[in-house]
Amino acid sequence: MKSGSSWLNAVQMNPLDFAEIDYLDPALKDGHKILYDRILNINIRFQDRFSEVQELSQPEPIRIRVLQLGIDSNPQSIKIEISSEKDLFFLFIHEATVNGFTQIKALQNLQMPFKDYAQITIATLNKVEQNYNGYGAIFQVMLDGSARLEINQTTEFRSVHMIHFDFHQVEESFLRQTIVFKYNQQRKEIKYLTQSLSECRMRATGTFK
């Protein structure tokens, strides 16, 4: 009989098995491709009905995706998607186009060209994930459905604002499509994992043909 570790190592998720459902991701339907997909611990703040800001006691695991439409040297659109695995209705989008980025640059005094926006964003998020030199993130949600992701660098003496991204809640139709997609994706993963475990048990007991 094979050792437990050897047959468990055989349980692997084959990306090809999910190709048939991944293309149904609503965020990819218009041609965007995923450049970054990570879960980061983010401090969350909510504006209450009295217009006061309340911060959750602990950082929350938040999924952040960076998507790009077009080639790297000449992108047409950059999107940042923020969602929560704990709350399917928590879904916000930041989108920048070539024209819109002009205003973003002016407001924040950014020096980068639009073609570098995605990669600099990813590099900044990597610093947050690693807590590199005190990098951290705060996501603040307002009553009107708008939100802002702020990246700050905290030193011994002060907190320095590095960059921020303005978000809005997705439309209800897009939210419904995303929830259905995630449900089907999870069903597919559970089905595949169950089949793989069953096959591995059969291999371990010598009953697999």
Side-chain angles (χ1 to χ4, degrees):
M1 180 181 297
K2 294 181 181 180
S3 66
S5 61
S6 62
W7 66 263
L8 278 175
N9 287 337
V11 181
Q12 298 178 354
M13 308 300 283
N14 186 348
L16 293 178
D17 292 318
F18 299 101
E20 63 187 72
I21 190 171
D22 284 348
Y23 81 95
L24 296 175
D25 185 342
L28 306 181
K29 284 186 175 180
D30 58 359
H32 280 78
K33 61 181 179 180
I34 299 172
L35 302 182
Y36 176 95
D37 187 352
R38 301 276 182 83
I39 294 179
L40 275 62
N41 290 321
I42 304 292
N43 292 306
I44 307 294
R45 295 175 180 173
F46 291 96
Q47 183 185 41
D48 63 22
R49 61 189 180 91
F50 302 108
S51 297
E52 295 183 0
V53 175
Q54 306 292 333
E55 183 168 344
L56 299 185
S57 58
Q58 298 291 334
E60 291 287 314
I62 297 297
R63 186 180 185 184
I64 303 181
R65 300 201 301 177
V66 178
L67 305 100
Q68 177 179 287
L69 178 64
I71 60 177
D72 293 345
S73 60
N74 187 29
Q76 301 172 41
S77 168
I78 303 296
K79 287 184 180 180
I80 306 174
E81 179 187 277
I82 283 188
S83 62
S84 170
E85 301 301 312
K86 296 163 62 175
D87 182 355
L88 292 177
F89 296 92
F90 189 92
L91 182 58
F92 295 82
I93 292 288
H94 164 87
E95 183 170 8
T97 59
V98 176
N99 293 333
F101 185 66
T102 301
Q103 183 178 10
I104 294 174
K105 283 183 63 175
L107 290 174
Q108 300 193 56
N109 195 28
L110 302 177
Q111 303 301 318
M112 72 190 80
F114 183 62
K115 67 181 181 66
D116 295 337
Y117 189 42
Q119 292 304 321
I120 289 178
T121 297
I122 291 171
T124 303
L125 292 172
N126 284 336
K127 290 179 180 179
V128 172
E129 183 180 21
Q130 301 160 10
N131 194 26
Y132 176 80
N133 282 348
Y135 271 71
I138 298 172
F139 190 67
Q140 184 165 315
V141 182
M142 309 305 288
L143 279 177
D144 62 1
S146 64
R148 174 173 289 185
L149 177 66
E150 295 184 2
I151 309 297
N152 301 311
Q153 184 181 19
T154 302
T155 66
E156 184 179 354
F157 303 103
R158 61 175 181 164
S159 179
V160 181
H161 176 80
M162 305 305 293
I163 192 172
H164 68 258
F165 308 91
D166 289 323
F167 287 76
H168 61 83
Q169 281 183 315
V170 299
E171 296 180 358
E172 185 177 345
S173 59
F174 185 87
L175 179 62
R176 284 200 303 267
Q177 293 175 40
T178 301
I179 291 174
V180 170
F181 167 74
K182 288 184 175 180
Y183 172 74
N184 289 332
Q185 189 180 46
Q186 289 176 356
R187 278 204 334 175
K188 181 80 173 179
E189 290 174 356
I190 292 171
K191 179 180 178 181
Y192 181 82
L193 184 58
T194 301
Q195 291 175 343
S196 297
L197 286 172
S198 177
E199 180 180 321
C200 287
R201 290 193 185 98
M202 294 172 68
R203 290 184 185 276
T205 58
T207 58
F208 182 80
K209 296 182 180 181

